[in-house]
Amino acid sequence: MNGSAVPPGRAAVITGIGSYLPPDVVTNDDLALRLDTSDAWIRTRTGIGRRHVVSPGTATSDLAVEAGARALESAGWDRVDAVVLATTTPDQPTPATAPQVASRLGLGTVAAFDVSAVCTGFLYGLATASGLIASGAAEQVLLVTADAFTTIIDPEDRGTAVIFGDGAGAVALRAGDADEPGAVGPLVLGSDGSLSHLIEVPGGGSRQRSSGKPVDPGDQFFKMLGRETYRHAVEHMTDASRTAVGRAGLEISDIDRLVAHQANARILEAVADRLEIPAGARLSNIEQVGNTGGASIPLLLAQATADGRLAAGHRVLLTAFGGGLSWGAATLVWPELRSV
Ligand code: UT7
């Protein structure tokens, strides 16, 4: 990346979008064949009907490359200054997955690194990309969020196995003006590490490795205290949304579309109800894809752009919540984008 003089009012502007879902689909009935659950329970408690899952041998980078290629094509780009990959399921603990994604996309030796913010990954990734652009370090950034949660889910844990699916979404961001369509508005981000135990993979890190105790293979699985997490998700997405709308100088009534992290349909309804966002402005794809972690917001943005639920000129509110705990929100005016 090359630094340059930074004009005032410079912002990161979304100029391309893409997404990818692995082809294999698991329905609720498929899960009920091996778990003590049912289609009725899953639909009623989560709103999920099916989810896409990676096949054996497919990794996060494979999803990221597909989504990233589509975002580049949508933008009409063949080069960027940086690739940011937000993921909770990197291909391996070290090195970061982003450099392989950049290389496989033919982007050469550009800056490339991973961001770890679980289901808030897209918003933390937007903040990172915005910072690279605002500082003058980059003119064009590819932000990919890709997660293959089914690779870290305990297949016997009905509390998580029914919720998560795999997928990826990506946006191409260029330097532009803060007042043009696609410019990422003021970002609100937060975290609460005192509640890190609510969503975690306990093993595989320095804490466990330096303990000298025998490793429990179950510690490699993703664990979530669902009921407690639920409450925090509603509170933080609602509060962050209100703050982001206020910082942008807007009222909630100015929002045309709410695109929230697809954690659980009941959480989405609770957040939208508290914000008093009308039913027609609430976008969702959770019935078809489940909770795809950090990928859920750009995946929904890409799908809604393609099917017309989201159109140029719509004022969009994004909000997410996830492990860390972490949360965030931002607004932007949706730009004219080419769907690929
Ligand atoms: O994406 C990052 C952030 N993640 C979230 O925000 C997720 C937040 N949490 C949730 O989405 C929900 O808490 C879950 C979907 C995980 C669970 O739904 P819930 O309505 O909170 O259920 P619960 O955990 O309170 O459990 C209610 C009952 C329990 O049975 P008893 O104790 O009432 O007899 C559970 O054992 O439902 C039972 N249960 C199930 N039953 C059938 C839990 N999971 C299942 C299941 N199938 N898959």
Side-chain angles (χ1 to χ4, degrees):
M1 298 183 300
N2 298 310
S4 57
V6 182
R10 182 173 157 110
V13 177
I14 294 180
T15 193
I17 192 156
S19 66
Y20 179 73
L21 288 166
D24 291 357
V25 171
V26 172
T27 66
N28 294 343
D29 287 332
D30 293 334
L31 289 172
L33 292 175
R34 60 174 179 80
L35 286 170
D36 182 14
T37 190
S38 65
D39 178 58
W41 191 96
I42 301 170
R43 282 184 189 275
T44 311
R45 307 298 282 196
T46 72
I48 298 167
R50 59 199 165 98
R51 69 286 292 145
H52 290 250
V53 301
V54 293
S55 52
T58 300
T60 293
S61 63
D62 301 319
L63 308 180
V65 166
E66 294 287 344
R70 290 170 196 195
L72 292 172
E73 190 187 340
S74 165
W77 289 359
D78 59 9
R79 57 161 290 276
V80 298
D81 301 307
V83 173
V84 178
L85 173 67
T87 186
T88 305
T89 58
D91 286 11
Q92 52 196 91
T94 295
T97 303
Q100 295 170 55
V101 173
S103 182
R104 287 170 57 190
L105 285 170
L107 297 171
T109 55
V110 296
F113 57 96
D114 292 359
V115 166
S116 176
V118 201
C119 298
T120 317
F122 183 68
L123 285 163
Y124 272 83
L126 277 184
T128 306
S130 295
L132 290 169
I133 286 172
S135 69
E139 295 291 319
Q140 300 189 168
V141 177
L142 177 66
L143 167 62
V144 186
T145 53
D147 272 318
F149 264 93
T150 64
T151 63
I152 56 170
I153 292 294
D154 178 352
E156 304 300 321
D157 177 11
R158 66 178 182 171
T160 53
V162 304
I163 297 175
F164 288 94
D166 304 327
V171 289
L173 295 142
R174 64 167 170 80
D177 296 326
D179 57 3
E180 67 176 297
V184 178
L187 277 149
V188 174
L189 299 172
S191 76
D192 184 354
S194 72
L195 295 172
S196 60
H197 61 284
L198 294 184
I199 299 176
E200 64 173 349
V201 176
S206 58
R207 177 74 63 202
Q208 185 187 59
R209 285 170 189 228
S210 67
S211 71
K213 294 182 194 143
V215 173
D216 177 348
D219 284 349
Q220 310 302 316
F221 287 131
F222 176 89
K223 301 185 197 308
M224 179 171 73
L225 298 178
R227 205 177 303 184
E228 285 171 66
T229 300
Y230 188 108
R231 185 170 58 81
H232 294 288
V234 173
E235 277 179 22
H236 287 300
M237 284 200 279
T238 305
D239 290 350
S241 293
R242 287 202 178 105
T243 308
V245 167
R247 278 195 200 162
L250 301 171
E251 304 288 337
I252 292 287
S253 56
D254 295 320
I255 299 301
D256 301 306
R257 296 288 182 268
L258 171 65
V259 177
H261 165 51
Q262 303 288 293
N264 178 322
R266 288 157 55 220
I267 292 176
L268 298 174
E269 290 302 306
V271 171
D273 286 348
R274 285 177 184 212
L275 293 172
E276 297 186 37
I277 288 180
R282 307 173 183 186
L283 297 187
S284 180
N285 62 355
I286 194 168
E287 199 276 335
Q288 299 88 33
V289 303
N291 179 339
T292 55
S296 83
I297 288 180
L299 186 55
L300 177 52
L301 290 172
Q303 289 180 339
T305 301
D307 65 26
R309 282 179 292 165
L310 189 52
H314 278 147
R315 202 173 282 283
V316 185
L317 169 61
L318 310 176
T319 186
F321 169 87
L325 301 178
S326 61
W327 58 85
T331 61
L332 75 163
V333 175
W334 200 243
E336 189 75 52
L337 295 176
R338 185 153 66 97
S339 278
V340 294

